[in-house]
């Protein structure tokens, strides 16, 4: 459920008409609903209510906007970060260091040191080499790193290949068969306190079955690690729960996810950790765009909008579907290709899709754009960096300004030998 609805024929974000925001801020612009974010955060937490000890670390990568992080910090969420930049954001948003998990396959020494000095709760190690380096770094600074070992369970998540992370050939985690040995060797090092195992098999999962298969394997490994005499107090089950992108699609509910986990982990006796991203933010945001013009095509017209693949990369990258709705629909429908202005054919949001009839100057939204939307934006074709707005009831605020091409240009230099 979200709070983007038609009222008197005009799409609103909570109590704010979308045209009001478009007029004030311009388009394209991301609009987030505070009430939807809060609701999703609470529904996710309630879904885990059967589990005795839990910690939820929001996957910052899905939407790192400072206001979004602040809101989730206030809901008691920690953060799953994958870079020094995300770590600074989580801290700036007021997330307690203790609740921050540092994931990521290529943490640099400088990033690890920053995490250590900030006193973060857990490093998720992606290799034995990384663990040895972290232990040395911590010991050299008189600190102890709390860590979990990320394991690659070799389970097919059944999602798009580019967002699948749990197959043996993927770069993530250590091989399942070698995990217990690596855990034992790292646990023996000074500077690091091994406290758990971590797993994340992919994103936008449509079924709980691959998750259950992965968690079941992790349960076997947990027993193996304990049997060799090593302590395991935390198990990080990652993120990955998918969300509907098309009206009418049904996805596993957080309550079903929680019930499955309660069943699989009943005898684990650990703190369970979660790294949800998309399930919290995905349907909490839309990308508002304006139709530039409509151009005839061979089979159907091209609706050219002022948002492009640089603003919302998912269709170009993963052939992702985002519902497209007119902000003031007149009831008519049209068959159209929806494209942006960028000079390559991958700048296509939809082909031959039946959509609300729109014409030049009309406003429309791409739905389910709150996750992996603004955060993946760039300035290709020297376009502006897209702004973000958050709505809360009848009030709203710009939570990320548009960065104009001139500002980006002003950071560039011509060396004197070219002048
Ligand atoms: N934990 C780890 C270690 C991850 O790698 C990810 C996502 C998450 C948690 C959060 O997963 P979620 O709950 O959001 O599915 N840009 C792609 C998605 C990439 C996901 C990367 N890792 C997209 O637009 O679909």
């Amino acid at each position: 459920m979200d709070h983007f609805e038609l009222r008197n024929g005009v799409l609103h974000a909570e109590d704010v008409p979308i045209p009001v925001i478009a007029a004030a801020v311009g388009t394209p612009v991301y609009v987030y609903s505070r009430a939807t974010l809060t609701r999703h955060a609470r529904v996710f937490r309630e879904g885990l209510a059967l589990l005795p000890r839990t910690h939820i670390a929001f996957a910052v990568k899905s939407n790192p906007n400072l206001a979004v992080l602040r809101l989730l910090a206030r809901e008691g969420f920690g953060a799953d970060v994958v870079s020094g930049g995300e770590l600074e954001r989580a801290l700036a948003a007021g997330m307690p260091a203790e609740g921050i998990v540092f994931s990521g396959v290529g943490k640099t020494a400088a990033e690890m040191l920053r995490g250590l000095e900030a006193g973060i709760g857990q490093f998720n190690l992606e290799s034995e080499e990384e663990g040895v380096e972290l232990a040395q770094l911590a010991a050299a600074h008189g600190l102890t790193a709390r860590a979990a070992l990320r394991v690659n369970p070799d389970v097919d998540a059944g999602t798009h290949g580019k967002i699948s992370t749990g197959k043996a050939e993927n770069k993530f985690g250590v091989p399942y068969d070698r995990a217990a040995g690596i855990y034992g060797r790292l646990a023996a090092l000074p500077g690091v306190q091994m406290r758990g195992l971590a797993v994340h098999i992919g994103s936008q999962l449509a079924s709980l079955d691959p998750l259950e298969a992965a968690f079941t394997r992790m349960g076997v490994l947990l027993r193996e690690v304990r049997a060799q005499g090593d302590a395991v107090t935390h198990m990080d089950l990652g993120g990955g729960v998918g969300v509907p992108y098309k009206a009418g699609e049904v996805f596993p509910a957080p309550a079903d996810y929680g019930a499955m986990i309660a069943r699989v982990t009943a005898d684990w006796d650990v703190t369970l950790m979660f790294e949800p991203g998309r399930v919290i933010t995905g349907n909490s945001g839309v990308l508002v765009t304006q139709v530039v013009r409509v151009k005839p095509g061979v089979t159907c017209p091209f609706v050219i909008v002022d948002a492009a693949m640089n603003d919302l990369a998912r269709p170009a990258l993963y052939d992702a579907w985002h519902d497209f709705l007119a902000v003031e629909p007149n009831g008519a429908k049209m068959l159209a290709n929806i494209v942006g202005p960028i000079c390559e054919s991958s700048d296509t949001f939809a082909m031959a899709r039946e959509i609300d009839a729109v014409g030049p100057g009309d406003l429309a939204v791409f739905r389910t754009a709150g996750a992996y939307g603004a955060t993946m934006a760039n300035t290709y074709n020297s376009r502006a960096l897209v702004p973000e707005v958050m709505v809360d009831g009848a009030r709203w605020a710009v939570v990320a300004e548009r960065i104009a091409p001139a500002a980006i240009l002003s950071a560039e230099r011509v060396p004197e030998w070219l002048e």
Side-chain angles (χ1 to χ4, degrees):
M1 198 202 113
D2 61 50
H3 292 80
F4 298 96
E5 287 169 349
L6 285 175
R7 290 192 197 166
N8 301 322
V10 179
L11 189 69
H12 282 57
E14 303 190 24
D15 299 332
V16 180
I18 295 285
V20 167
I21 296 171
V25 184
T27 54
V29 56
Y30 279 91
V31 176
Y32 308 132
S33 153
R34 202 277 309 155
T36 310
L37 281 164
T38 304
R39 182 186 146 79
H40 290 174
R42 292 184 185 168
V43 168
F44 189 83
R45 183 184 293 292
E46 282 157 21
L48 305 180
L50 290 174
L51 307 170
R53 295 191 301 284
T54 56
H55 173 68
I56 307 175
F58 170 63
V60 171
K61 64 173 82 68
S62 79
N63 190 325
N65 183 276
L66 194 58
V68 171
L69 298 184
R70 173 65 57 85
L71 186 152
L72 293 173
R74 282 166 53 171
E75 289 295 316
F77 279 40
D80 164 48
V81 303
V82 293
S83 69
E86 287 192 352
L87 174 58
E88 296 308 331
R89 280 175 176 274
L91 293 169
M95 278 161 167
E98 178 71 31
I100 297 178
V101 178
F102 203 149
S103 304
V105 79
K107 302 172 201 77
T108 65
E111 287 175 320
M112 292 195 286
L113 187 56
R114 178 68 183 116
L116 279 169
E117 286 174 346
I120 66 163
Q122 180 171 304
F123 289 86
N124 282 357
L125 303 173
E126 292 270 356
S127 65
E128 183 165 4
E129 291 77 1
E130 184 191 331
V132 169
E133 200 179 322
L134 176 65
Q136 284 168 352
L137 203 61
H141 288 80
L143 297 165
T144 301
R146 282 166 295 201
L149 183 64
R150 177 157 177 194
V151 177
N152 184 320
D154 195 20
V155 168
D156 187 347
T159 184
H160 192 286
K162 289 190 178 166
I163 52 175
S164 201
T165 53
K167 287 287 290 165
E169 63 267 28
N170 296 137
K171 66 179 174 179
F172 300 98
V174 301
Y176 183 86
D177 296 340
R178 295 181 43 216
I182 294 173
Y183 194 99
R185 288 195 290 280
L186 291 177
L189 298 177
V192 69
Q193 180 213 331
M194 292 305 294
R195 70 174 198 180
L197 297 165
V199 66
H200 171 80
I201 60 171
S203 194
Q204 184 54 11
L205 271 63
S207 157
L208 296 176
D209 295 348
L211 289 171
E212 179 160 356
F215 299 161
T216 303
R217 294 206 83 193
M218 295 302 285
V220 174
L221 185 60
L222 166 66
R223 282 184 280 279
E224 197 183 325
V225 171
R226 281 182 172 157
Q228 72 190 14
D230 291 308
V232 181
T233 55
H234 291 71
M235 292 289 280
D236 184 336
L237 302 182
V241 178
V243 303
Y245 277 85
K246 290 184 190 173
E249 273 181 346
V250 180
F251 270 73
D256 302 331
Y257 175 69
M260 177 274 281
I261 291 169
R263 182 157 42 76
V264 175
T265 67
D267 61 354
W268 285 14
D269 188 24
V270 292
T271 296
L272 291 171
M273 302 174 68
F274 298 90
E275 303 171 354
R278 190 186 320 257
V279 71
I280 308 294
T281 50
N283 275 302
S284 305
V286 299
L287 173 60
V288 182
T289 187
Q290 186 172 36
V291 177
V292 178
R293 65 180 61 84
V294 179
K295 153 179 169 165
V298 177
T299 50
C300 59
F302 290 97
V303 169
I304 306 168
V305 296
D306 67 358
M309 63 186 282
N310 72 301
D311 306 304
L312 177 62
R314 304 192 67 260
L317 275 176
Y318 320 115
D319 297 315
W321 175 292
H322 287 263
D323 274 349
F324 179 84
L325 303 179
V327 167
E328 297 182 61
N330 61 17
K333 297 281 178 190
M334 70 192 286
L335 196 66
N337 308 316
I338 311 168
V339 299
I342 282 182
C343 300
E344 54 177 282
S345 297
S346 53
D347 189 23
T348 298
F349 293 107
M351 289 298 282
R353 194 191 287 184
E354 191 184 71
I355 57 170
D356 291 336
V358 286
D362 287 348
L363 293 172
V365 299
F366 291 104
R367 292 198 61 135
T368 321
Y372 307 108
T375 181
M376 290 174 70
N378 59 66
T379 60
Y380 185 38
N381 276 207
S382 290
R383 290 165 53 82
L385 201 57
V386 62
E388 298 160 83
V389 159
M390 187 182 286
V391 171
D392 179 24
R395 59 186 174 174
W396 61 274
V398 173
V399 293
E401 285 175 23
R402 187 183 312 279
I403 304 200
I408 295 161
L409 186 60
S410 73
E412 296 179 22
R413 304 283 178 268
V414 176
E416 63 185 25
W417 37 266
L418 276 181
E419 270 168 8

